[in-house]
Each structure stands twice: as C-alpha cells, then as structure tokens.
Amino acid sequence: MNERDSEQVARMFTEGGYTVTKDEFKADAILVNTCSVRDQAEQKALGKMGSMVQHRKKRPHVVYGFMGCMAQSRGQELFQNVPHLDVVVGTQKYHKVFEYVDGILQNRLERRMDDLKLTYKGDHICDIDEEKDSQNTIKDHVKETTDPTAFVSIMQGCNMKCSYCIVPDTRGRERGRPIQDIVEECESLVARGVKEVTLLGQIVNLYGRTEFPKVDGKSPFVQLLEAVHAIEGLERIRFTSPHPIGYRDDLVEAFTYLPKLCSHIHFPMQSGSDRILKLMRRPYKNEKFIEICKKMKAARPDMAITTDIIVGFPGETEEDFEETVKCVKELEFDNCFVFRYSQRRNTPAADMLDQLSEKVKEDRNQRLLAVVNEIAQRKNNALVGTVQEVLCTGPSKNNPNTLNSRTPQNKIVILEGNPDRLVGKVFKAKIHECTGFTLYGTPIIESLEEAE
Ligand code: 5AD
Ligand code: SF4
C-alpha cells in the first residue's frame, strides 16, 4: 500500500516536469514514505532522514519530506527530531505533496540566484488533516514501467480496532472508491500491457460496505471483482488483505465462477489462540478462521493460503503460542509472515500490563519460523517435476540474467529465456529445482506459442 501511494506521488512529480531518481546524491527533493505498523520501520526511517542532512552541504536547496503513516501519527513532533525537515504530509494528503515540495523548491532556487551563499533551515509545513474523498486521489501510475503487474488501491482506512494496530489511527476510517473509477483505472493499466492487478485495501473484502448496497446478495467487493473480471485482456486478479469478518460465501463462491481470480489468498490469522484473539480484539474464533480456509480449498483445490502472525502479544502464554503452532501445522500455510509484537502509540495493547520480553518474542519467532519453513520446503519439493502456469514479470533482482515469474499461487519461479519473448506473457513452465521459497523452471515454448 505504501508503495502504491509512493507511486502516485512519483507520478505527480513526473507530470510536473521532474524525473525520479533512486540516487539521493542527485535529488533536489528527498521524500520518505514510512510505515508505522512496527517500531523498527519508524526508527530506520528517522535514522535515514537524519543522516541525509549531509546533502544540504553540497546542495543547500534540497527539500526533505516525510509522508504517510509516520507523518500522520507523529505530525509536528517530527520537526523536533529532524530539524532540517521541510514537509510532513499525512495519509489523506498525498495529492498535496507535489504542491508543497515544488513550492519550496522553486522559491529556494529563485532566492539562490540572487545570493549563492544562502542556506536553508527546514520550512516546517505540516499537513495531516483528514480530507473527504482523498481515497479517490490514489489512481495514477508511473507511465514508463513495463511491469505486467500493478497494484490498484480500492479503499483507504480501517474501521476495525485490533488492539495492537496503529493503522486506524494513521489511515482513518474506511473509505471506498466508486467501482466505475476502479474499473477505469484497471482498463487503462490493461491498455498499457498490464496482465495482473492486485486490489489493495486494509480489509479488502469489506470494501464499500459503508457506501454501496448489496446486490443479489453479493457484497460490494464481489460486485467489484465481477466488474474487474469482465475487463478484456486482463488475465489475473489478486487482492490483499481480507479479514475473517465479512468473508462470506459470496466471496468463496466467486472463486468458482471467476477464473481470473488467482488461487491464492493472503489471509492474516494473527493468532491461533481464542484467548489472544479476544485480547487482540479480533472478533472471531480460530474455528471460524479454519472453516473459511477449508471452504476456500474446497472452492479451489489448488488454493494457496499465506498469513500474518504476531508472536509475543502481551499475555501470550506458552499454551497460547502452542495453539498457534498447532493451527499453522493443521492449515499448512504456504508462507507465513511472523511478526514480533511491537508496542505502538495510542493502541490499547501498548498499555496492557503483561508485556513480554524481547527474548521470549524472539524465541517464539524462531520456533514458529522453523515450522513455517519446514512446511514451505515440503510443499515446494512436491512441485519439482510438475508443470505450472506462470506470468513472467521481468528480470530477477538477484540475477538479471534470469527472469522472475509467478504461479497463480504466488510462488516465485526463476526462469532462463529471452526476456523479449517471455516478459508479460502467461505460459507453462516445468519446475526442475527448488529452495525454501523459490522454484526454478524451464519455459515450455509450445504453451507460449499457443498463448500468442
Ligand atoms: N506488532 C507486530 N506486528 C503487527 N502487525 C500489525 N501491528 C503490529 C504490531 N503492533 C502485523 C499484523 C498485520 C501486519 C501487516 O503487521 O500481523 O497483519
Ligand atoms: Fe489493523 Fe486490524 Fe485494521 Fe488490519 S483489520 S488494519 S490489523 S486494525
């Protein structure tokens, strides 16, 4: 979601005549978009922003900004931590970043023409207000990219109140975009060569519940899936992340009649213990979570399920943790992101008395990861020798001589082959090797010819 928001901001700058560089030494403006979900990310962003003050020495006009969740939750206080900071822009104001940064930059460059010795302190513009309909402003994409996959933000905010989570505070209440706007965005992506879209929302299956009515017993989210599915030329649809609340049969059924929906859901479980779920203020029982997973596997036998789990939540006992481990073994997740609980400001869990030590959190983290990795390795081993359908997305980051691709289950398959022929295509590949989370395969050229 943060990446998607950053892309929107980048597009506004390119429209305004700027170019995007990853080289901070060349930049006239340096913007950091920060996630606040865990403390570690915030500390890293603060450290990075602090060290970048060095650029002011050679390029005194450089404009510095924080945007996103950390900007939203810390606001003005950031100027005390980072005195050279110019702008702090919250999660409902991404569309204003260009105006603020460009304004400061133009002003500085003009003033420097008159006096080359001028140096600048931070300008200290802070805009973290709410803005009605701001969810509709995250809609543009960087034009130059040839990536056949794209993220589409369908809503902002979250009305849930999980006791550990800072998101309702940083992103505000749920606000969905109109179906037609989302469909038009997907159509324009497809016209540019995109083959796969991932619909993004904090609780994506509850999309539109406060704005749009059910039709024929179908939730607004299922209506949206049907509308996106009808786009010609679009081959794959994903979404992330759904919540067990509101994960109803209409959504399960959608997987039986919408073949473009990929056989994968990332479905955060958070804990396998009912006692901890209650303390987390997640209003469902573990049994219900398991039931939804089983229904999804019945709807699509090749369904892969990945999840998020928090270990070391305040008061989590060894028995609670063992229940989580038991559930992970039972459901055999294809992958699992394990997070050590992190105390977040203004969240009820941060004030709970029974906070656990980092040692206990780390120990449970390692033990759970060992279980997760063993399952993932076993599942990957079983795929060696099989043929999988993949979408080739481009050169692999680790070795640009090889290509990255993904199966419908979202497993990475590394291929060798001609990028001009393969990138952006869906075809079959024979899997000949695997490591923990990566498969290696060979394209089956006949399947490519059929697709052409
Ligand atoms: N501590 C640790 N993990 C957290 N998450 C959210 N808040 C916290 C927290 N305070 C995890 C949840 C969520 C994922 C995006 O981040 O598992 O699904
Ligand atoms: Fe946070 Fe819970 Fe909302 Fe997810 S559903 S964003 S964990 S409050």
Side-chain angles (χ1 to χ4, degrees), residues 158 160-162 164-168 202-203 243 270 282:
C158 178
M160 295 287 173
K161 291 196 166 46
C162 302
Y164 51 82
C165 184
I166 199 171
V167 167
Q202 298 294 348
I203 26 176
H243 192 291
Q270 311 300 3
R282 304 269 299 177

Side-chain angles (χ1 to χ4, degrees), residues 180-436:
Q180 196 48 34
D181 285 13
I182 300 169
V183 170
E184 279 166 22
E185 180 176 337
C186 294
E187 280 171 345
S188 74
L189 288 166
V190 170
R192 239 179 51 186
V194 165
K195 297 282 163 50
E196 175 186 302
V197 293
T198 303
L199 307 177
L200 290 179
Q202 298 294 348
I203 26 176
V204 77
N205 52 317
L206 295 183
Y207 159 81
R209 65 168 163 164
T210 53
E211 293 108 339
F212 314 120
K214 276 191 171 178
V215 176
D216 297 336
K218 288 175 187 165
S219 63
F221 183 58
V222 171
Q223 295 168 44
L224 173 69
L225 289 178
E226 290 180 356
V228 172
H229 194 273
I231 298 173
E232 217 171 298
L234 182 64
E235 299 196 28
R236 289 177 162 193
I237 304 168
R238 301 181 188 276
F239 55 82
T240 193
S241 294
H243 192 291
I245 295 300
Y247 205 115
R248 301 228 164 79
D249 287 348
D250 61 333
L251 179 52
V252 176
E253 253 168 54
F255 282 79
T256 63
Y257 66 91
L258 298 177
K260 294 180 185 177
L261 277 177
C262 287
S263 292
H264 167 235
I265 51 165
H266 181 71
F267 193 31
M269 177 172 95
Q270 311 300 3
S271 170
S273 150
D274 285 343
R275 205 181 69 81
I276 295 298
L277 285 173
K278 196 162 180 205
L279 288 173
M280 286 178 163
R281 299 195 187 161
R282 304 269 299 177
Y284 57 91
K285 296 250 181 346
N286 181 243
E287 195 184 338
K288 155 124 181 168
F289 183 86
I290 295 177
E291 184 192 312
I292 298 171
C293 292
K294 289 192 172 154
K295 281 186 184 175
M296 288 302 291
K297 287 189 181 181
R300 282 277 181 91
D302 64 345
M303 176 65 60
I305 303 180
T306 56
T307 197
D308 290 343
I309 289 175
I310 299 176
V311 292
F313 185 82
E316 185 188 65
T317 61
E318 190 55 27
E319 290 72 38
D320 293 318
F321 174 69
E322 281 304 334
E323 284 188 51
T324 298
V325 173
K326 183 169 157 259
C327 188
V328 167
K329 286 183 178 163
E330 179 182 344
L331 288 174
E332 297 204 302
F333 292 110
D334 292 79
N335 194 3
C336 192
F337 296 94
V338 183
F339 302 104
R340 279 163 291 156
Y341 169 71
S342 165
Q343 264 174 300
R344 310 309 296 128
R345 60 171 61 194
N346 301 330
T347 60
D351 298 327
M352 290 180 182
L353 292 178
D354 204 358
Q355 302 286 330
L356 302 187
S357 68
E358 285 307 315
K359 189 164 169 287
V360 170
K361 291 183 205 172
E362 183 52 24
D363 174 61
R364 291 183 185 166
N365 184 23
Q366 292 305 332
R367 281 156 61 202
L368 187 54
L369 279 178
V371 175
V372 169
N373 292 343
E374 190 272 320
I375 297 168
Q377 181 79 59
R378 183 154 37 84
K379 287 195 154 189
N380 269 1
N381 288 348
L383 292 174
V384 174
T386 66
V387 171
Q388 299 292 320
E389 187 190 85
V390 296
L391 167 64
C392 183
T393 49
S396 149
K397 279 199 186 112
N398 295 337
N399 176 0
N401 295 324
T402 60
L403 296 168
N404 246 348
S405 70
R406 294 225 179 215
T407 67
Q409 291 75 18
N410 213 28
K411 295 190 193 284
I412 299 171
V413 182
I414 304 289
L415 306 166
E416 280 180 20
N418 177 356
D420 295 337
R421 179 119 196 245
L422 300 180
V423 175
K425 304 263 169 53
V426 175
F427 52 89
K428 297 211 162 64
K430 174 112 190 208
I431 309 301
H432 53 72
E433 208 185 320
C434 78
T435 56

Side-chain angles (χ1 to χ4, degrees), residues 80-123:
Q80 275 140 38
N81 295 336
V82 188
H84 61 277
L85 197 59
D86 295 299
V87 291
V88 169
V89 183
T91 52
Q92 303 200 23
K93 296 286 182 175
Y94 285 110
H95 55 292
K96 297 283 232 178
V97 175
F98 175 73
E99 183 186 319
Y100 295 141
V101 170
D102 184 56
I104 298 173
L105 195 58
Q106 297 307 336
N107 184 299
R108 286 184 185 170
L109 291 172
E110 267 167 40
R111 281 166 60 204
R112 268 182 72 75
M113 277 197 257
D114 299 332
D115 181 355
L116 285 173
K117 291 202 185 64
L118 263 182
T119 55
Y120 305 96
K121 294 204 181 76
D123 258 48

